[in-house]
Amino acid sequence: MIKKTIVSLLIFMLFSLQGSYAQTAKAAGKQAAIQDKVRALLEKMTPEEKVGQMTQVAIDLIMKDGGNQEIDEEKLRRAIVEKKVGSILNVKWTAYSLDKWHEIITRIQEVATRETPNKIPVLYGIDAIHGANYILEGTVFPHNIGMAASRNDELVEKAAHIAAIQTRASGIRWNFDPVLGVGRQPLWPRFEETFGEDPLLAGNMGSAAVRGYEGDGLGAPTAVASCIKHYLAYSVPNTGKDRTPAYFPEIMVRELLLPPFRQAAEAGSSSVMINSGELNGVPLHASHYWLTEVLRGELGFKGLAVSDWEDVIRLHTRHRVADSPKEAVRMAVMAGIDMSMVPNNYSFYDYLLELLKEGQVPMARIDEAAGRILTLKMELGLFDNPFPEVEAIARFENDSYAATALEAARESLTLLKNRAAVLPLPKDSKILLAGPGANNLGSLHGSWSFTWLGREERLYPESTLTIKEALEKKLNGGKLICRAVPDYHAYENYDALQLQEDARQADYIILCLGEEAYAESPGTITDLSLDPRQLNLAQAAILAGKPVILVLAEGRPRILSPVEPGMDAVLLAGRPGSRGAEAIADVLFGDYNPNGILPFSYPRRTGDFTLYDHKFTETVTEPHTGPNGNHGYDPQWPFGLGLSYTTFEYGDIRLSSTTLRPEGKITATIAVRNTGQRDGKVAVDLYTRDLYASITPPQQRLRAYRKVMVPAGKSVEVSFTITPGMLSFVNSGLKRVTEPGGFEVMIGDKKAGFTYEE
Ligand code: BGC
């Protein structure tokens, strides 16, 4: 009997192996066929056509002037027939209906495939960075900062897959996402687009997004090409302002910023967008070292490298490393840029053609770049059918998308404080709902939501609720007093006297503060403090003498310390998206047990950005420190914090061995017991600490995480595998090493020790 089982097992394994070999061989064959076709096509193409492929322009260049959203046929032909552009991007300041997208894409592809000699389709690119945010009725998910709070990679993949399906349904097959910058500068206006301050979250979740976008195979009607961005070091500008220089030593770049790109490159992302900023005095767009030696040579990245908005031109106009616009083009192309998002003129095309003719840029480089672009177009099936596909369009609507948006919003919400278990609230309470975020959609969505800034509320789907609307639906026998209006800045939203008067009739005050929607530079701030009008409102609420529940819809942590002690509960919503308001109502009234945990350290003071993975010396208090001295790691709320309506207790950490060897691994197992009355999900983070190392070791590093559901009164075992690679760091020779010695592993309030021996 046993023999028989072994034989069948062997046969099964043989077939499975054969199957996977056959699959790999098939994929390799398909790739080889594409490469043959690309070579043959390049041979037929003129230099103009090749350079045109490398040129990407904004939709404005093919649309009629002013507010008109119609294609200008003359401009369209100039772009595609005369300048032979390979790619078009963006919207003209508004989101389009599915039909409008079809009209636009169809007309572009008609001209490209009927009026050009080699009939090369156009690759249209869009920023669908938290769902199909530029399609009317598209589903919008929480921004990455909230997805990271969920500690749920599967959910990230699921959301990205829906974004892929809806984007492909519009006829677009290239998405400028995921963002892999690590959010270590909370002033930065794009903080909400990051997965927080830890590179593991960015790497794991970024890769999950790549799988969600591309996992079905680029040819499938449910896939889009992903674009990992912004390579490299965009998220750590010293000033905190957008597109300003980063001074970040290479050892730290390699330790903290490069790994997510390596991981997502290994996950197979087919394109990369370059950081507009500069790193240690060198604009990334001009860096052969980072774009070619490291990206291609070390990371083995094979996809297409596109510039960011106008950044080739800016090597001359802003960064001043190129003394002419033409030199800027030469620099960028020779550094490794394959496609220039020009995007408002044809200067790149004209200069590159000249440079090619003068021999300043070799044809081999042009063939390489154009080859990568054509390869992607072929993989995406654009040569077979460049038009919006019937099978893709049929998938645009599905009830499950809204359900996933709700699931994601719920898992992203992070309960930071709940004094005396004031939450959840009874549904028959009298509630005063106030604050600029109470009746505003933009603050729940943030950047890239139907418009770039996310502020055009008329473009949001009818089904999207504000917090006020969601609470109205939720209350049962209770009463809602709310005077908040949609305009974030309206006087009514900040009327402290009115608030105090209304509070007399209320059992609880729910105060919705934070930030209005913004994107990129318009979101720049010079002070992380919450704005004074909001602080004033918060003080008034505290003085009203009723329990105050603070709901924060914001893209980055705004300092709350002056009012935080007066808050009875704080719920961080981030930018929760299409179903965010309902998710907030679910948590406030106990229909959902919150389980998000912070992916960043929420600062307490405007000048203290100590992060969770600080060095020991960052916490040392000198004997003569004054009252304003070093507070160590003393954020308002630490990385990893998130409360639940139930309580969890951790058992001891059990290690499969206390010695780890180079080719070996250790399993760390822990029991998580739900000691409360409600079922609850819990996010379990595993950290390690290197006790002594040649480079000062951080106090802790996140190495793994898992989200588990634990029924009330029950216990669940969670196991993690620890490998030597997980304990590695970049040493002074810029090499990643794991040094022998003692380590600690920490989960919850428990820790255990082991040694790594070579
Ligand atoms: C942003 C990119 C975006 C591009 C195209 C730029 O301003 O930095 O993230 O993909 O615009 O919209």
Side-chain angles (χ1 to χ4, degrees), residues 56 89-91 125-127 129 134 176-177 179 190 193 227 229-230 234 242-243 273-274 276 307-311 314 341 448 452 520:
Q56 184 187 54
L89 86 151
N90 214 9
V91 289
I126 200 76
D127 296 276
I129 74 159
Y134 274 150
F176 304 132
D177 195 62
V179 172
R190 303 187 76 169
E193 296 180 47
C227 186
K229 72 186 189 184
H230 308 77
Y234 183 25
D242 198 27
R243 293 177 220 279
M273 187 185 292
I274 310 306
S276 307
S307 86
D308 200 348
W309 191 270
E310 213 178 288
D311 283 322
R314 290 172 182 173
M341 189 186 288
W448 314 98
W452 178 49
E520 302 185 30

